[in-house]
Amino acid sequence: MNTQFFEGQKPGTSGLRKKVSVFQQPHYLENFIQSIFDSLEDCQNKTLVVGGDGRYYNKTAIQTIVKMATANGFGRMLIGQNGILSTPAVSAIIRKYHAFGGIILSASHNPGGPDGDFGIKYNISNGGPAPEKLTEAIYEHSLKISNYRISETMDIDLSELGQMQVGEMTVEIIDSVADYAELMAQIFDFDKIKDLFQSGFTLCFDAMHAVTGPYARLILEDQLGAPSGTVINAIPLEDFGGGHPDPNLVYATDLVKKVYGENALQFGAASDGDGDRNMILGQDFFVTPSDSLAVLAANAHLIPAYKEGLAGIARSMPTSAAADRVAAALGIDCFETPTGWKFFGNLLDAGKVTLCGEESFGTSSNHVREKDGVWAVLFWLNILAVRQESVESIVRAHWAKYGRHFYSRHDYENININTAEKLMDNLSKTFNVMKKGQSFGSYLVDYCDNFSYTDPIDASTSAKQGMRIVFQEGSRIVFRLSGTGTNGATLRVYLEFFETNIAKHSLDVQEVLADLIVLADVIAGIKKFTGRDKPSLIT
Ligand code: VG1
Ligand code: CO
């Protein structure tokens, strides 16, 4: 068999992501699925959960996976109705039914449709993303695979709930939302949130034509009594309505219109393609994801499931240190991990942390092993229901108490891969000669390095996880290349400026960060290497 396209089957930050047309090449999907199965311990008679975000190719891929799972000896498959399961729902279902693992079909926030992206993630029995050791094994296997096992059974009906046999394997089509909704009701005070909605609180949830529509509709509108129409863009579409299902101020335009300006609603939220990200907005007010993690941590005692307190907090390295300050105040540990949810799994399993978060609009807790968009929205609503204050006043009070980490991420998308590598090489040379105390205007270098992580539980190490330069007094610039893009390379520049006296600064974050933005270019030569004089996306 021709092996020329196997070399591209290297999973990135979050599974394998490629253009749909790449997955449509003969044997491509099958090779990757077989590489997963072959890299696992024995799959005989085990249970496999499968679902996706509803994007183009989701159902086609599921039919292939069913035929391969039965040929590989799986005993049982649980599939979301119509192929729909959000990423956190897959995690919850794996855990609830003690499944062996799960396959999530999604390219997350990347656009979908025949010309868009498709992706595959494998999750292990704790419900979390496959750790690096396994993704490496899958990749290595995909380089040498020469055949795959598939049965010649008929396509199955994904639309009707119920059970059927495919060869020796039992397939159950399950409700996409029920198990997840049941878990949310165990965590949060649904009665309090109901009262909040009853009192006339105004809100909007933008599902961005992606997977969270059915989840948010059932939980917010049917169970908690939010007015019908609260959830917009609620039907998952194969091409996400032509949009970019990434919950930020640039892409969630329908939501932004409702929460800013005249007649602004009190609360707005959005989630991404596969339902693991969240954006939180108050009236005319944006909550940065890093601040959101810190606010959730500081208020966790108000939520039934966390009222006994938090074991610890973890955040990805580029995420601001706002959560660290809350952890210090609570007297609990705060762990700093590489980018990607898979690095939180061991800490959660070992009971070292309760809450985790990333600057890329991801937060979650030990209830699953993925980040969880709808959970984060319910967490905020539960806090609002208890505190009876606005989002803005809660965040401002938080800054007044802990100080504020002004934060922004600048993305330079679709740059030439060689150019990006040259820029990073050059940056590491610059870092090699950088000295502690060296000054850049008023910024004095504390240290700089290429972040390397040793897992505190299994001692596995992950090197080269991002170039960071940390200045005295806590300001920081981090540079790293994305592991999820499918067009060329994406350079991410993370900017952070810490201030205790928050009254001192203009509220325009980009203005506050202006010096650091210039410094990032001085240090990394972004303009010189890429020819770009501004980022393509600012969040
Ligand atoms: C990005 C984010 C990272 C996140 C990952 C998957 O990765 O930066 O924080 O975990 O996407 O999120 P990268 O390598 O492109 O920076 V999701 O919602 O796309 O599964
Ligand atoms: Co996602």
Side-chain angles (χ1 to χ4, degrees), residues 74-78 163-172:
F74 278 94
R76 183 177 175 219
M77 262 180 96
L78 303 175
Q163 261 194 31
M164 65 196 93
Q165 282 299 123
V166 178
E168 305 280 290
M169 180 177 78
T170 308
V171 175
E172 268 175 66

Side-chain angles (χ1 to χ4, degrees), residues 9-58:
Q9 293 182 303
K10 190 168 178 66
T13 314
S14 188
L16 179 70
R17 265 179 219 184
K18 297 282 169 194
K19 292 275 164 228
V20 166
S21 56
V22 172
F23 276 100
Q24 285 171 327
Q25 297 173 95
H27 314 303
Y28 189 92
L29 172 73
E30 291 86 344
N31 285 321
F32 191 68
I33 298 294
Q34 189 65 50
S35 297
I36 296 174
F37 291 165
D38 287 345
S39 306
L40 302 172
E41 292 159 40
D42 190 14
C43 348
Q44 298 310 304
N45 298 319
K46 302 276 171 60
T47 300
L48 182 69
V49 178
V50 177
D53 62 10
R55 69 178 58 224
Y56 183 80
Y57 211 57
N58 192 13

